[in-house]
Amino acid sequence: MMNCDVAVIGAGLSGLVAAKRLQDEGLRVACFEKARGSGGRLSSKRLVTEQGLNISFDLGCSAVTATTDVFKKQLETWAEDHVVSPWLSVGEALPQYVGVPRNSSITRNLVDQLNVSFGVKVTRVSREGDRWVCYQNMGDELVPVSSSKYLIISAPPEQTFDLLPIDNSLRSLVSKSRSLPQWVLMIATDTSRGDKFRSLSPMSFPSSVSGMSLESSKPNRETPEHINVWQVQASTDWSRQRTDWLPDAVAKSLIADLETTIGESVHVIATYVHRWLYSVHREVNQASEQGYLWGDDGIGLCGDYLAMGLSEFGLEAAYLSGSKLGEKLCSL
């Protein structure tokens, strides 16, 4: 069991930013992530097609945008360190950045500077004396993994609600936030036969699609010649009605809708489907004007759902939430 000053549950952007701020202050910080890697909505995927082609693409947010001075400065720093690179900037639109060589590089850059344990699913947190103890299931037993003075939970509101002790005062505040599921589809197409997906615009998307990005146009992406790699984000309404669908059915349905829209079939080389159970927040938590939640018992919550009032962009909101919670703890 790790003894530390702060335990952080979740290795998405907000949790890692909070952890880095606290570690820079000299505190001993331990992060725990149930998945095999970091990222959250900055996750990426690499795969080899049946033809032996190597393809990489982003699974969550397609790009990062900043509206606040503090996050603009952070993006500039990451760009200088070659963690991100400018991607698209059209007219007066806000510039967009992407991680290089993938969006997951942003969180991996933070992970490399922190003490993060992957594959550790914390299933229970308990206040024991003046310490917070985190537990994970090992077979039929609950095994402690950390003991800390402070605890940070950086997870979707539904998972945070389930993890908080029943008598914790923050539980009722978290219950006010809800997330919607979203399917994401990767399509690799053969450009030697043309690619009419390029003719689509947000105004012409079918109702099943909320967004598309040409992954192979991003800098430093692994993309074979004559191949376009598209990320298709299904609409939340469409996704919510098909949460239990199998991935193959999701791919076939979305591709059929897109082909109907462009008026012809597309030569698909490969597909990959991912389901985000907690993607878009249906209700913004109004209880958190400062961008995070803090309890007098030494527990703090951060995440984009708590900072949507600070930024309309999820990744920026996540960054601000984690940064502000870290500053809060540093002031104690």
Side-chain angles (χ1 to χ4, degrees), residues 88-152:
L88 294 175
S89 182
V90 181
E92 297 181 357
L94 292 170
Q96 297 185 36
Y97 291 80
V98 294
V100 289
R102 291 169 294 280
N103 278 352
S104 57
S105 300
I106 298 173
T107 51
R108 286 178 183 173
N109 173 259
L110 292 166
V111 166
D112 289 343
Q113 305 173 66
L114 296 166
N115 174 20
V116 183
S117 299
F118 293 105
V120 178
K121 182 179 181 180
V122 175
T123 55
R124 178 186 174 190
V125 298
S126 174
R127 184 71 172 172
E128 301 178 12
D130 61 350
R131 309 281 289 181
W132 280 102
V133 180
C134 296
Y135 292 86
Q136 70 169 333
N137 287 92
M138 298 288 285
D140 296 330
E141 296 184 21
L142 271 177
V143 178
V145 295
S146 70
S147 173
S148 59
K149 182 177 181 180
Y150 301 114
L151 175 64
I152 291 176

Side-chain angles (χ1 to χ4, degrees), residues 32-304:
F32 301 97
E33 168 59 47
K34 65 180 181 180
R36 294 180 295 176
S38 64
R41 292 283 286 174
L42 281 170
S43 297
S44 304
K45 178 73 176 178
R46 286 183 293 176
L47 59 80
V48 179
T49 70
E50 294 179 355
Q51 298 82 6
L53 303 175
N54 292 302
I55 293 175
S56 66
F57 50 94
D58 297 321
L59 283 175
C61 298
S62 60
V64 186
T65 302
T67 59
T68 60
D69 290 340
V70 63
F71 195 47
K72 287 177 183 177
K73 183 177 180 180
Q74 180 61 76
L75 285 176
E76 291 170 359
T77 299
W78 281 337
E80 292 173 359
D81 294 338
H82 306 291
V83 177
V84 303
S85 177
W87 179 37
L88 294 175
S89 182
V90 181
E92 297 181 357
L94 292 170
Q96 297 185 36
Y97 291 80
V98 294
V100 289
R102 291 169 294 280
N103 278 352
S104 57
S105 300
I106 298 173
T107 51
R108 286 178 183 173
N109 173 259
L110 292 166
V111 166
D112 289 343
Q113 305 173 66
L114 296 166
N115 174 20
V116 183
S117 299
F118 293 105
V120 178
K121 182 179 181 180
V122 175
T123 55
R124 178 186 174 190
V125 298
S126 174
R127 184 71 172 172
E128 301 178 12
D130 61 350
R131 309 281 289 181
W132 280 102
V133 180
C134 296
Y135 292 86
Q136 70 169 333
N137 287 92
M138 298 288 285
D140 296 330
E141 296 184 21
L142 271 177
V143 178
V145 295
S146 70
S147 173
S148 59
K149 182 177 181 180
Y150 301 114
L151 175 64
I152 291 176
I153 301 179
S154 170
E158 292 83 357
Q159 294 177 332
T160 299
F161 178 85
D162 291 339
L163 197 53
L164 285 169
I166 294 177
D167 59 350
N168 190 274
S169 61
L170 300 182
R171 212 163 183 255
S172 62
L173 298 179
V174 173
S175 68
K176 298 178 181 179
S177 294
R178 288 289 181 272
S179 307
L180 294 174
Q182 185 177 41
W183 285 103
V184 176
L185 166 68
M186 181 283 294
I187 309 174
T189 62
D190 184 350
T191 60
S192 65
R193 304 187 184 188
D195 190 346
K196 282 199 172 181
F197 283 164
R198 283 181 173 272
S199 66
L200 291 172
S201 67
M203 296 298 293
S204 62
F205 289 159
S207 60
S208 57
V209 174
S210 63
M212 292 181 67
S213 67
L214 182 55
E215 296 291 298
S216 45
S217 72
K218 294 179 178 178
N220 292 39
R221 291 307 196 260
E222 298 177 30
T223 307
E225 191 176 1
H226 305 306
I227 299 295
N228 272 350
V229 179
W230 293 90
Q231 184 212 70
V232 180
Q233 296 191 3
S235 67
T236 52
D237 285 343
W238 189 91
S239 299
R240 181 171 49 83
Q241 297 170 18
R242 297 161 178 82
T243 305
D244 297 327
W245 274 26
L246 294 176
D248 284 349
V250 170
K252 290 179 181 178
S253 182
L254 289 174
I255 291 173
D257 286 351
L258 290 168
E259 288 178 334
T260 298
T261 302
I262 63 176
E264 65 178 53
S265 61
V266 176
H267 185 208
V268 176
I269 299 295
T271 62
Y272 182 86
V273 179
H274 181 80
R275 181 186 64 181
W276 294 100
L277 280 177
Y278 309 108
S279 178
V280 180
H281 304 300
R282 183 176 61 188
E283 298 175 19
V284 177
N285 195 307
Q286 300 294 339
S288 175
E289 295 181 359
Q290 70 270 42
Y292 62 87
L293 289 174
W294 177 253
D296 294 335
D297 51 2
I299 188 170
L301 311 180
C302 60
D304 58 354

